[in-house]
């Protein structure tokens, strides 16, 4: 309104007597009547409601350009065209970096990798190149700082006074403001905890069913300090609010309705986590396990679930290991084998065993379980002799820890008999079988 009033004064419609309301309306009337071509640019609209009764008139000689993070349907009403400005392509991103570093071409080392790390986001690329120019860093140097999780995202961007291209805020500050707006939209208070949960999952695609689980509803109820369940409709509305503020993208054409959150948005969100955010991580793991099918028939769905588990594990450090290893870690490994990637499954459980042994100790039941899985997939991957030897050692430890008649001990003895037979040792297989109850 102030800008309209100033414009009215400059073109002689008013005397600038301070009545901004009347002056702005006079300016809008002039736009509707004049035969002179005009262009109005309204930059960085936060709330479409702010333009109520202030939209310039629609005329063939006039044009209005509005820039905004919002994607509300109302913005495309009245024959307006909503044009989404997306990400650079990889070649565009590298070309942009090299153009910014024309005078310092030696700093462009690692430009392609940096573009990928920043997710080809134009705003982030602009601020990153300004940062490395100010600090005489190569793209490779900047990547090393970016990979250091001890550094906050705000520490890797220029100070407000050094922002390029007349930017008013850093990337992190822009998203923080957008999240504040999204969290105020109805249903109020749900957008923030929903984004916090999405921030620990795969930026390349989160199955939409994750957000309809009982685990996510419990997470949101905890965030609202409401013991009651949060209805699925409210969750869906909160997810759409994240999309409206360009904090998330929802692909409804995908069979499973995939939700994507840019990796830098995720990082900025994780950096605002409360000190104790273990509940958020636990709910994310529970949600993945809740939608994981018992029989995996869709390889794309299985791959997405494993990718989300990997990202969750990456960002949880020890949170999925106390008091025990979360079941989703075992499910992800079994999924590899069940979808035909048996060698990968054996490798996965080898690494998982190293972690359980280090974190929980050699005699913890989860450590024994990883050894059982490792031995099974080792055999299925073509090493029955190695599997038989592993089950023989495992049987000794199960007998010592749980006793000879425990179901897990008996199952291990049965597995030992099977793999001895597969390894060409029928006598050893028969001996192990004879020691099973009822044999």
């Amino acid at each position: 309104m102030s800008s309209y009033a100033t414009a009215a004064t400059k073109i002689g419609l008013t005397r600038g007597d301070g009545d901004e309301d009347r002056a702005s309306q006079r300016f809008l009337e002039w736009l509707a009547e004049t035969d002179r071509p005009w262009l109005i640019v309204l930059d960085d609209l936060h709330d479409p409601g702010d333009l109520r009764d202030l939209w310039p008139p629609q005329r063939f000689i006039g044009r209005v350009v509005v820039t905004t993070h919002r994607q509300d349907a109302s913005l495309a009403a009245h024959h307006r065209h909503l044009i989404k400005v997306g990400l650079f392509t990889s070649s565009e991103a590298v070309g942009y970096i090299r153009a910014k570093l024309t005078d310092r071409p030696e700093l462009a080392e690692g430009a392609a990798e940096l573009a990928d790390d920043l997710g080809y986001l134009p705003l982030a690329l602009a601020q990153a190149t300004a940062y490395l120019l100010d600090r005489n860093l190569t793209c490779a140097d900047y990547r090393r700082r970016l990979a250091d999780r001890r550094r906050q995202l705000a520490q890797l961007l220029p100070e407000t006074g050094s922002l390029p291209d007349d930017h008013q805020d850093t990337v992190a500050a822009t998203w923080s403001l957008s999240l504040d707006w999204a969290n105020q939209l109805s249903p109020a208070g749900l957008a923030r905890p929903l984004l916090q949960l999405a921030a620990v999952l795969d930026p390349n695609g989160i199955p939409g069913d994750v957000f309809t689980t009982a685990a996510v509803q419990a997470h949101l109820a905890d965030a609202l300090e409401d013991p009651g369940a949060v209805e699925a409709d409210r969750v869906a509305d909160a997810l759409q609010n994240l999309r409206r503020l360009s904090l998330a993208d929802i692909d409804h054409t995908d069979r499973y309705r995939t939700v994507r959150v840019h990796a830098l948005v995720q990082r900025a969100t994780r950096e605002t986590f409360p000190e104790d955010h273990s509940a958020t991580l636990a709910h994310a793991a529970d949600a993945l396990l809740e939608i994981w099918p018992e029989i995996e028939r869709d390889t794309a769905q299985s791959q997405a679930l494993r990718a989300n588990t990997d990202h969750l594990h990456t960002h949880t450090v020890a949170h999925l290991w106390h008091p025990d290893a979360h079941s989703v870690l075992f499910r992800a490994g079994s999924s590899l084998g069940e979808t035909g990637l048996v060698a990968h499954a054996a490798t996965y459980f080898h690494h998982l065993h190293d972690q359980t042994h280090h974190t929980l100790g050699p005699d913890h039941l989860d450590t024994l379980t990883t050894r059982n899985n490792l031995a099974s997939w080792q055999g299925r991957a073509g090493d029955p002799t190695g599997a038989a030897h592993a089950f023989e050692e495992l049987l000794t430890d199960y007998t010592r820890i749980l006793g000879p008649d425990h179901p897990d001990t008996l199952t291990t003895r049965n597995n030992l008999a099977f793999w001895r037979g597969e390894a060409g040792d029928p006598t050893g297989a028969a001996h192990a079988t004879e020691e099973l109850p009822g044999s």
Side-chain angles (χ1 to χ4, degrees):
M1 189 179 292
S2 297
S3 297
Y4 286 177
T6 300
T9 301
K10 287 184 176 180
I11 61 177
L13 301 177
T14 66
R15 298 179 179 178
D17 55 7
D19 188 350
E20 289 189 343
D21 189 8
R22 174 57 189 155
S24 65
Q25 290 302 314
R26 182 69 189 93
F27 178 66
L28 291 172
E29 292 168 2
W30 179 84
L31 293 177
E33 298 166 354
T34 185
D35 58 359
R36 298 176 59 184
W38 51 262
L39 168 69
I40 303 293
V41 179
L42 303 171
D43 188 39
D44 198 16
L45 175 67
H46 291 289
D47 186 349
D50 290 342
L51 285 181
R52 186 174 291 110
D53 299 325
L54 292 173
W55 278 98
Q58 289 190 350
R59 299 193 60 200
F60 72 95
I61 64 169
R63 291 290 183 270
V64 181
V65 176
V66 179
T67 67
T68 180
H69 293 284
R70 302 287 289 258
Q71 299 186 53
D72 301 59
S74 61
L75 292 171
H78 305 292
H79 305 290
R80 304 178 194 124
H81 300 285
L82 189 62
I83 302 172
K84 188 173 181 180
V85 181
L87 305 176
F88 280 147
T89 64
S90 58
S91 59
E92 287 172 340
V94 173
Y96 176 86
I97 293 174
R98 293 191 184 281
K100 286 289 186 179
L101 302 179
T102 299
D103 295 333
R104 299 292 307 279
E106 71 278 8
L107 300 183
E109 175 198 350
E113 293 79 6
L114 177 58
D116 184 61
D117 288 348
L118 295 176
Y120 309 113
L121 185 69
L123 183 63
L125 290 167
Q127 297 186 1
T129 50
Y131 180 95
L132 61 87
L133 278 169
D134 287 342
R135 289 160 176 77
N136 195 36
L137 300 173
T138 67
C139 293
D141 293 332
Y142 187 86
R143 290 189 69 220
R144 283 191 286 272
R145 295 192 181 192
L146 190 65
D148 186 352
R149 294 185 187 174
R150 295 171 298 178
R151 294 178 183 267
Q152 296 282 307
L153 187 58
Q155 297 174 316
L156 301 170
L157 299 169
E159 299 85 356
T160 302
S162 301
L163 288 171
D165 306 324
D166 294 326
H167 294 175
Q168 298 299 310
D169 291 304
T170 64
V171 171
T174 299
W175 284 324
S176 177
L177 180 61
S178 294
L179 181 55
D180 289 343
W181 275 100
N183 210 46
Q184 293 172 27
L185 297 175
S186 179
L190 291 186
R192 188 180 302 279
L194 201 60
L195 186 61
Q196 289 175 342
L197 185 139
V200 295
L201 297 173
D202 184 9
N204 298 310
I206 306 168
D209 288 347
V210 163
F211 300 98
T212 63
T213 58
V216 168
Q217 291 178 352
H219 164 65
L220 297 176
D222 287 348
L224 295 177
E225 298 183 353
D226 181 355
V230 176
E231 296 86 353
D233 287 347
R234 295 181 68 196
V235 178
D237 289 345
L239 200 59
Q240 288 296 328
N241 289 339
L242 293 176
R243 183 197 64 81
R244 288 168 65 185
L245 272 295
S246 299
L247 292 164
D249 184 51
I250 305 174
D251 184 358
H252 290 283
T253 63
D254 184 84
R255 179 180 175 186
Y256 298 105
R257 190 180 64 122
T258 300
V259 177
R260 295 181 176 86
V261 179
H262 195 282
L264 290 182
V265 175
Q266 290 184 317
R267 177 166 180 166
T269 303
R270 290 195 301 270
E271 290 176 356
T272 64
F273 274 173
E275 185 173 343
D276 180 16
H277 61 284
S278 56
T280 297
L281 305 174
H283 284 135
D286 292 342
L288 290 173
L289 202 57
E290 194 173 328
I291 66 170
W292 214 306
E294 291 185 14
I295 300 176
E296 300 183 46
R297 296 186 173 91
D298 190 313
T299 55
Q301 181 192 30
S302 298
Q303 185 175 0
L305 289 169
R306 292 195 300 269
N308 276 273
T309 302
D310 288 343
H311 278 269
L312 177 61
H313 195 196
T314 297
H315 297 303
T316 58
V317 188
H319 286 89
L320 290 185
W321 291 92
H322 294 290
D324 304 307
H326 197 283
S327 298
V328 76
L329 299 175
F330 295 94
R331 190 69 191 89
S334 298
S335 173
L336 284 167
E338 291 168 8
T339 53
L341 302 172
V342 290
H344 290 81
T347 301
Y348 177 94
F349 278 109
H350 176 76
H351 293 307
L352 192 64
H353 170 254
D354 289 344
Q355 290 176 298
T356 52
H357 187 280
H358 174 74
T359 305
L360 303 176
D363 292 343
H364 193 282
L365 293 183
D366 284 341
T367 305
L368 301 181
T369 300
T370 58
R371 290 172 61 188
N372 175 80
N373 281 280
L374 172 57
S376 293
W377 291 115
Q378 182 180 357
R380 296 187 197 185
D383 183 13
T385 302
H389 180 69
F391 275 117
E392 186 174 355
E393 293 181 339
L394 184 59
L395 177 60
T396 300
D397 289 334
Y398 263 127
T399 303
R400 173 176 57 84
I401 297 169
L402 298 178
D405 298 326
H406 190 278
D408 289 348
T409 305
L410 299 178
T411 298
T412 302
R413 188 178 297 280
N414 180 73
N415 290 334
L416 172 60
F418 175 81
W419 286 110
R420 276 179 175 174
E422 291 293 304
D425 180 14
T427 303
H431 178 70
T433 302
E434 288 172 355
E435 295 186 359
L436 285 169
S439 299

